[in-house]
Amino acid sequence: MSTLLSSEVKQSEYRILGLVGRGQFGRVYCALHRQTGEFVALKALDLATLPTHQFLRELRFLVTLQHPNIVMCQAIEHLRRKRFLVMDYCEGGTLRQLMENHERLHPALSVKLVCDVLAGLEHAHSQKVVHCDIKPENILLSLSAEGWVARISDFGISRLGQEIAPEATNLTGSPAYMAPERFYGQYSHSTDLYAVGILLFELLVGYRPFSGLPAELMAAHLNQPVKIPANIPTRVQGVIFTALEKLKARRFRSAAQMREALELAVQDRAEFQLEGQNFAIVPKVYSPVILREERSLYPIEQIGITEVTPLPEYDRYLRRSISIFLSQSQTLQSRSYLMGFFDQRGGKASPIATVAEPIRELIVRAQECFAVTERSIYKLSEQVPQLLTRLYQPSRIAIAPHGNWMAVATLGSDETAKLLSFWTLPHPKLMQRPTICESTLGELITLIAVHSRHVALISRDDRATRFDFFNRRGQAFGTLNLPVQLKQVFETPKFYCLVATEIGHERSLLLIHLKPYRLIRIAISIRPKFVAAFSWGVVVCDENQLSAIDYEGQQIGRSKIPPHPCAISAYGEDGLAIATWHQGQSKLYTLNLEAIRSANL
């Protein structure tokens, strides 16, 4: 971000969180309203490339068009020599990004998104507005309880119906999606429908019907017939053929007619039904190296892995020694490995210790492991757990990435957060008076330190999930409402990035990037039961296999794992510990995932 832009925006009502895109006439930023905490998109318009009359032109279109499938304008910011349109924020990014993350979308999702685009165009055309630049980069995605909603954006080169006149000297747009008449500077409502036909072809087939340089694309759009693969149903082929007629008089008369034809074409086709289908692309299979297999005396519910002390500096070829802490209910045990995680020799087990309450989780911070219960927090060592503090009421605890402070959310009888307090570590001391939590949605899912200075209080009701953000002074500075029910939320080593599973979406994973705000929903081939996060991505496991996904949503590999896992934990860049429980026997495995990680480099 330029210094000039930063200084100007600081005077506005919005706090910029990051750059999310670049358009033909300016940059688009994710921003947060300083008072309401609402996420918006700030479209910074460049005076040099977008003169006043064109700015007023796009603003006119945006004010005129009010529809759930169109990105709408909320306000205008005009500071010094900068103009900003305050737009609806679409957290799912662009349709192009979704296509790149999944290689090929499920046909039902593709048809649904195209129907959304047609619904938005139907409204725009009713207001005599022709978009003129329909393409995946200009289709943004918002999340709803039913899934993605497509919304049309970027009306920068749109035209009014009465402006349909030759403008060949001012040709703008994307040649890959242009109707034949566009190359002669002509515009009509069917021009947009032609572009939607290209989009539908690309989503269902995996590539566009025409390719090449602009001159080659022009020749293809004007003269080359469309060839649709035989695996596309005949009635769907008919919709594509009609939308891509060379003569506009032979195309659909309206967006509504095309949408009705497409819905009718897929009405009784099983492959266009999303429910119960596995619509993920299956990634390449790898074989992780199993380094150790050790028995345990009891089922393992939590695993925490820490480095203990560096080995002598002169012995540079030996790795650091580590300890693996194992917990089950109120029981704790550690195993120490003098030669490091990736050595194949077994570990030395410490005596079993117990604590006063069942352990909820093990948290590893800065080479220290903490055991957290409903009312207590312990610092673990290979000898006896050290009680750091005991709380008077059931609570949820988050520990800062460097382990120098913790946040405590005190729960009420209804499992909602009542108070939020911050404490120093390793010697717990209250940093300031607790904050009263008045704005949480309902049941508290978890409390997570998303940065060294910020925490997220995550709560849900029967319809949505809410994130309330606080700084270390206990001051609320933003909220985020998701129209979905999150089941579990996991932290990652990547600041402001979380991973979540959803209620009702058993074969998907949600990546939540908070700065700038972006959601990536990934369809996967397994039901995620366990999640472990690395610096390069996350690993999700079910009963007998794992899938690895990077932080852009790309599925980079999968592999078999020891069956019947009951806990997993990540270590370093490649290490994964897996505990299993089957027929009364408990085992601890250590795996090397270097082959999967290397595939992502």
Side-chain angles (χ1 to χ4, degrees):
M1 188 192 313
S2 69
T3 305
L4 176 60
L5 178 60
S6 177
S7 63
E8 289 175 347
V9 174
K10 284 181 180 178
Q11 301 171 32
S12 76
E13 297 179 349
Y14 302 93
R15 177 191 294 119
I16 283 185
L17 300 181
L19 179 70
V20 293
R22 289 180 173 87
Q24 187 173 356
F25 301 114
R27 298 184 176 188
V28 182
Y29 298 89
C30 172
L32 192 71
H33 194 283
R34 296 181 185 274
Q35 297 299 321
T36 66
E38 179 186 7
F39 284 92
V40 298
L42 283 185
K43 186 173 182 179
L45 302 175
D46 189 349
L47 288 175
T49 57
L50 187 68
T52 299
H53 74 276
Q54 193 147 355
F55 165 75
L56 295 175
R57 178 191 195 86
E58 181 172 5
L59 179 60
R60 175 186 178 186
F61 293 146
L62 292 172
V63 171
T64 302
L65 303 177
Q66 302 287 317
H67 191 272
N69 295 115
I70 294 177
V71 178
M72 293 179 283
C73 180
Q74 300 179 9
I76 304 172
E77 288 275 300
H78 196 168
L79 299 171
R80 297 183 184 175
R81 296 185 56 80
K82 291 286 183 180
R83 302 189 187 106
F84 301 90
L85 292 180
V86 183
M87 313 286 292
D88 295 340
Y89 190 77
C90 297
E91 63 279 0
T94 68
L95 178 56
R96 175 67 69 199
Q97 291 170 328
L98 184 68
M99 294 162 65
E100 290 173 348
N101 287 343
H102 287 82
E103 297 183 22
R104 186 79 57 81
L105 298 183
H106 189 283
L109 179 58
S110 298
V111 168
K112 192 268 181 191
L113 296 176
V114 168
C115 287
D116 286 349
V117 172
L118 289 168
L121 286 177
E122 181 182 354
H123 176 72
H125 293 170
S126 71
Q127 302 298 315
K128 303 187 183 304
V129 175
V130 183
H131 188 278
C132 296
D133 199 18
I134 294 295
K135 58 183 178 180
E137 289 80 0
N138 287 340
I139 307 301
L140 303 185
L141 302 173
S142 293
L143 188 65
S144 72
E146 291 74 33
W148 292 122
V149 175
R151 304 178 69 181
I152 304 170
S153 70
D154 202 345
F155 284 80
I157 65 169
S158 299
R159 296 290 185 270
L160 292 177
Q162 61 266 30
E163 297 177 337
I164 302 173
E167 293 186 11
T169 58
N170 189 29
L171 186 63
T172 55
S174 304
Y177 298 87
M178 280 187 181
E181 64 271 16
R182 281 292 318 277
F183 292 95
Y184 296 102
Q186 297 177 358
Y187 309 87
S188 70
H189 296 162
S190 67
T191 299
D192 285 341
L193 303 186
Y194 185 95
V196 175
I198 299 286
L199 178 62
L200 178 60
F201 184 104
E202 184 177 9
L203 287 170
L204 295 180
V205 178
Y207 54 87
R208 293 189 289 268
F210 309 122
S211 60
L213 299 174
E216 297 170 325
L217 285 169
M218 177 178 176
H221 284 297
L222 290 172
N223 304 305
Q224 185 176 321
V226 177
K227 297 179 181 179
I228 305 177
N231 64 312
I232 302 298
T234 303
R235 296 177 71 179
V236 179
Q237 288 189 36
V239 174
I240 297 174
F241 279 129
T242 303
L244 297 184
E245 285 284 356
K246 306 299 183 185
L247 298 177
K248 59 185 180 182
R250 295 182 179 178
R251 298 178 204 146
F252 292 103
R253 295 189 303 273
S254 67
Q257 185 188 35
M258 182 175 176
R259 180 161 59 93
E260 291 168 3
L262 182 56
E263 290 174 343
L264 186 62
V266 303
Q267 189 173 24
D268 299 319
R269 303 288 307 194
E271 66 266 38
F272 289 93
Q273 303 302 313
L274 199 57
E275 292 77 14
Q277 297 286 334
N278 170 23
F279 57 101
I281 298 297
V282 178
K284 184 177 179 180
V285 177
Y286 294 87
S287 297
V289 179
I290 298 179
L291 301 173
R292 286 189 299 268
E293 176 184 338
E294 303 173 278
R295 293 185 179 275
S296 176
L297 298 177
Y298 54 83
I300 298 169
E301 295 178 350
Q302 305 285 342
I303 304 175
I305 307 173
T306 66
E307 292 183 354
V308 183
T309 52
L311 289 171
E313 294 182 3
Y314 57 81
D315 203 342
R316 294 174 297 174
Y317 300 100
L318 297 180
R319 299 181 182 232
R320 292 171 180 262
S321 60
I322 67 162
S323 287
I324 297 182
F325 294 93
L326 313 171
S327 73
Q328 192 269 333
S329 186
Q330 298 171 239
T331 305
L332 280 164
Q333 188 181 38
S334 70
R335 292 175 183 265
S336 59
Y337 302 83
L338 294 180
M339 305 300 289
F341 186 88
F342 297 100
D343 186 71
Q344 296 185 356
R345 285 166 286 192
K348 178 183 178 182
S350 68
I352 295 176
T354 59
V355 295
E357 293 179 300
I359 298 168
R360 288 185 54 86
E361 61 179 330
L362 298 180
I363 302 176
V364 176
R365 293 289 187 270
Q367 300 185 18
E368 299 286 353
C369 188
F370 300 89
V372 176
T373 73
E374 286 277 348
R375 292 179 172 83
S376 305
I377 179 169
Y378 296 83
K379 181 179 176 181
L380 303 185
S381 65
E382 295 181 11
Q383 286 77 38
V384 180
Q386 176 188 353
L387 176 65
L388 296 183
T389 188
R390 193 180 302 278
L391 306 168
Y392 295 103
Q393 291 179 270
S395 305
R396 299 292 180 266
I397 295 174
I399 301 177
H402 300 299
N404 57 338
W405 58 267
M406 68 177 179
V408 178
T410 304
L411 303 183
S413 57
D414 55 356
E415 293 294 310
T416 61
K418 300 301 182 183
L419 295 174
L420 179 65
S421 56
F422 291 82
W423 302 67
T424 59
L425 285 177
H427 306 292
K429 181 179 179 181
L430 195 63
M431 297 167 65
Q432 67 268 324
R433 295 180 60 182
T435 300
I436 299 176
C437 301
E438 298 176 344
S439 58
T440 55
L441 193 61
E443 175 192 0
L444 181 67
I445 303 176
T446 188
L447 179 68
I448 290 180
V450 296
H451 189 263
S452 59
R453 298 187 299 271
H454 303 140
V455 297
L457 198 66
I458 307 173
S459 56
R460 71 177 175 219
D461 62 9
D462 57 356
R463 293 177 297 177
T465 303
R466 177 172 177 142
F467 290 65
D468 289 277
F469 299 100
F470 298 84
N471 60 25
R472 285 195 300 172
R473 301 184 185 91
Q475 297 171 335
F477 65 90
T479 60
L480 169 62
N481 292 291
L482 297 185
V484 294
Q485 282 184 288
L486 298 185
K487 184 178 181 180
Q488 292 178 288
V489 183
F490 305 89
E491 62 184 21
T492 72
K494 190 178 178 69
F495 284 159
Y496 298 110
C497 182
L498 306 174
V499 180
T501 57
E502 302 175 69
I503 297 174
H505 294 271
E506 294 184 344
R507 291 182 181 268
S508 72
L509 200 70
L510 199 64
L511 294 178
I512 307 173
H513 293 267
L514 297 171
K515 192 176 182 180
Y517 175 40
R518 184 160 64 104
L519 297 181
I520 304 175
R521 177 185 269 164
I522 310 111
I524 55 180
S525 57
I526 64 176
R527 290 182 172 87
K529 184 177 179 182
F530 304 99
V531 176
F534 296 85
S535 62
W536 48 265
V538 297
V539 165
V540 294
C541 300
D542 65 0
E543 287 298 327
N544 54 27
Q545 61 181 318
L546 66 78
S547 182
I549 301 157
D550 69 17
Y551 287 116
E552 291 302 313
Q554 296 282 355
Q555 299 181 63
I556 58 177
R558 65 189 180 103
S559 71
K560 294 289 186 181
I561 60 172
H564 312 291
C566 53
I568 71 172
S569 181
Y571 173 78
E573 292 292 296
D574 307 312
L576 186 70
I578 298 180
T580 64
W581 174 257
H582 182 58
Q583 295 181 347
Q585 292 188 350
S586 177
K587 293 184 179 180
L588 176 67
Y589 296 86
T590 55
L591 280 66
N592 188 339
L593 304 183
E594 183 179 4
I596 295 179
R597 179 181 65 87
S598 299
N600 192 38
L601 298 179

Coordinates of all heavy atoms in Angstrom, one line a residue, residues 555-582:
Q555 N -5.7 -28.9 -3.0 CA -5.4 -30.2 -2.4 C -4.2 -30.8 -3.0 O -4.1 -31.1 -4.2 CB -6.6 -31.1 -2.6 CG -7.9 -30.6 -2.0 CD -9.1 -31.5 -2.2 OE1 -9.1 -32.6 -1.7 NE2 -10.1 -31.0 -2.9
I556 N -3.1 -31.0 -2.2 CA -1.8 -31.3 -2.7 C -1.4 -32.8 -2.5 O -0.4 -33.2 -3.0 CB -0.8 -30.4 -2.1 CG1 -0.8 -30.5 -0.5 CG2 -1.0 -29.0 -2.5 CD1 0.3 -29.7 0.1
G557 N -2.2 -33.5 -1.8 CA -1.9 -34.9 -1.7 C -2.7 -35.7 -0.7 O -3.4 -35.0 0.2
R558 N -2.7 -37.0 -0.7 CA -3.5 -37.8 0.2 C -2.7 -39.1 0.4 O -1.8 -39.4 -0.4 CB -4.9 -38.1 -0.2 CG -5.0 -39.0 -1.5 CD -6.4 -39.1 -2.0 NE -6.4 -39.9 -3.2 CZ -6.8 -41.1 -3.3 NH1 -7.2 -41.7 -2.2 NH2 -6.9 -41.8 -4.4
S559 N -3.0 -39.8 1.5 CA -2.3 -41.0 1.8 C -3.0 -41.8 2.8 O -3.9 -41.3 3.5 CB -0.9 -40.7 2.3 OG -0.9 -40.2 3.7
K560 N -2.7 -43.1 2.9 CA -3.2 -43.9 4.0 C -2.5 -43.6 5.3 O -1.3 -43.2 5.3 CB -3.0 -45.4 3.6 CG -3.8 -45.9 2.4 CD -5.3 -46.0 2.7 CE -6.1 -46.6 1.6 NZ -7.5 -46.6 1.9
I561 N -3.2 -43.8 6.4 CA -2.6 -43.7 7.7 C -3.0 -44.9 8.5 O -3.8 -45.7 8.2 CB -3.1 -42.4 8.4 CG1 -4.6 -42.4 8.6 CG2 -2.7 -41.2 7.7 CD1 -5.2 -41.3 9.4
P562 N -2.3 -45.1 9.7 CA -2.7 -46.2 10.5 C -4.2 -46.1 10.9 O -4.7 -45.0 11.3 CB -1.8 -46.0 11.8 CG -0.6 -45.4 11.2 CD -1.1 -44.4 10.2
P563 N -5.0 -47.2 10.8 CA -6.4 -47.0 11.1 C -6.8 -46.8 12.5 O -6.0 -47.0 13.4 CB -6.9 -48.4 10.6 CG -5.8 -49.3 10.8 CD -4.6 -48.5 10.5
H564 N -8.0 -46.2 12.6 CA -8.6 -45.9 13.9 C -7.9 -44.9 14.7 O -7.6 -45.1 15.9 CB -8.7 -47.2 14.8 CG -9.3 -48.4 14.1 ND1 -10.7 -48.4 13.7 CD2 -8.8 -49.5 13.6 CE1 -10.9 -49.6 13.0 NE2 -9.8 -50.3 13.0
P565 N -7.6 -43.7 14.1 CA -6.9 -42.7 14.9 C -7.8 -42.1 16.0 O -9.1 -42.0 15.8 CB -6.6 -41.6 13.8 CG -7.6 -41.8 12.8 CD -7.9 -43.3 12.7
C566 N -7.3 -41.6 17.1 CA -8.0 -41.0 18.1 C -7.4 -39.6 18.5 O -8.1 -38.8 19.2 CB -8.1 -41.8 19.4 SG -6.6 -42.4 20.0
A567 N -6.3 -39.3 17.9 CA -5.7 -37.9 18.1 C -4.5 -37.8 17.1 O -3.9 -38.8 16.8 CB -5.2 -37.8 19.6
I568 N -4.3 -36.5 16.7 CA -3.1 -36.2 15.8 C -2.5 -34.9 16.3 O -3.1 -34.1 16.9 CB -3.5 -36.2 14.3 CG1 -4.3 -34.9 14.0 CG2 -4.2 -37.4 13.9 CD1 -4.5 -34.7 12.6
S569 N -1.2 -34.7 15.9 CA -0.6 -33.5 16.2 C 0.6 -33.2 15.2 O 1.2 -34.2 14.8 CB 0.0 -33.5 17.6 OG 0.6 -32.2 17.9
A570 N 0.7 -32.0 14.8 CA 1.8 -31.6 13.8 C 3.1 -31.3 14.6 O 3.0 -30.8 15.7 CB 1.4 -30.5 13.0
Y571 N 4.2 -31.5 13.9 CA 5.5 -31.1 14.5 C 6.4 -30.6 13.3 O 6.6 -31.3 12.3 CB 6.2 -32.2 15.2 CG 7.6 -31.9 15.6 CD1 7.8 -31.1 16.7 CD2 8.7 -32.3 14.8 CE1 9.1 -30.7 17.1 CE2 10.0 -31.9 15.2 CZ 10.2 -31.1 16.3 OH 11.5 -30.8 16.7
G572 N 6.9 -29.4 13.5 CA 7.8 -28.9 12.5 C 7.2 -28.7 11.1 O 6.0 -28.4 11.0
E573 N 8.0 -29.0 10.1 CA 7.5 -28.9 8.7 C 6.9 -30.2 8.2 O 6.0 -30.1 7.3 CB 8.6 -28.4 7.8 CG 9.1 -27.0 8.0 CD 8.1 -26.0 7.6 OE1 7.7 -25.9 6.4 OE2 7.6 -25.3 8.5
D574 N 7.3 -31.3 8.7 CA 7.0 -32.6 8.1 C 6.4 -33.6 9.1 O 6.0 -34.7 8.6 CB 8.2 -33.2 7.4 CG 8.8 -32.3 6.4 OD1 8.1 -31.7 5.6 OD2 10.1 -32.1 6.5
G575 N 6.5 -33.4 10.4 CA 6.2 -34.4 11.3 C 4.8 -34.5 11.7 O 4.1 -33.4 11.9
L576 N 4.2 -35.7 11.8 CA 2.9 -35.9 12.3 C 2.8 -37.1 13.2 O 3.3 -38.2 12.9 CB 1.9 -36.2 11.1 CG 0.5 -36.3 11.4 CD1 -0.1 -34.9 11.8 CD2 -0.3 -36.9 10.2
A577 N 2.3 -36.8 14.4 CA 2.1 -37.9 15.4 C 0.6 -38.3 15.4 O -0.3 -37.5 15.4 CB 2.5 -37.4 16.8
I578 N 0.4 -39.6 15.3 CA -1.0 -40.2 15.3 C -1.1 -41.2 16.4 O -0.3 -42.2 16.4 CB -1.3 -40.8 13.9 CG1 -1.2 -39.7 12.8 CG2 -2.7 -41.4 13.9 CD1 -1.5 -40.3 11.4
A579 N -2.1 -41.0 17.2 CA -2.5 -42.0 18.2 C -3.7 -42.8 17.7 O -4.6 -42.3 17.2 CB -2.8 -41.4 19.5
T580 N -3.7 -44.1 17.9 CA -4.8 -45.0 17.5 C -5.3 -45.8 18.7 O -4.6 -46.0 19.7 CB -4.4 -46.0 16.4 OG1 -3.4 -46.9 16.9 CG2 -3.8 -45.2 15.2
W581 N -6.6 -46.2 18.6 CA -7.2 -47.0 19.6 C -8.1 -48.0 19.0 O -9.0 -47.7 18.2 CB -8.0 -46.2 20.6 CG -8.7 -47.0 21.6 CD1 -10.1 -47.2 21.7 CD2 -8.2 -47.6 22.8 NE1 -10.4 -48.0 22.7 CE2 -9.3 -48.3 23.5 CE3 -6.9 -47.7 23.3 CZ2 -9.2 -49.0 24.6 CZ3 -6.8 -48.5 24.5 CH2 -7.9 -49.1 25.2
H582 N -7.8 -49.3 19.1 CA -8.6 -50.4 18.5 C -8.5 -51.7 19.3 O -7.4 -52.1 19.6 CB -8.1 -50.6 17.1 CG -8.9 -51.6 16.3 ND1 -10.3 -51.5 16.0 CD2 -8.5 -52.8 15.7 CE1 -10.7 -52.5 15.3 NE2 -9.7 -53.3 15.1

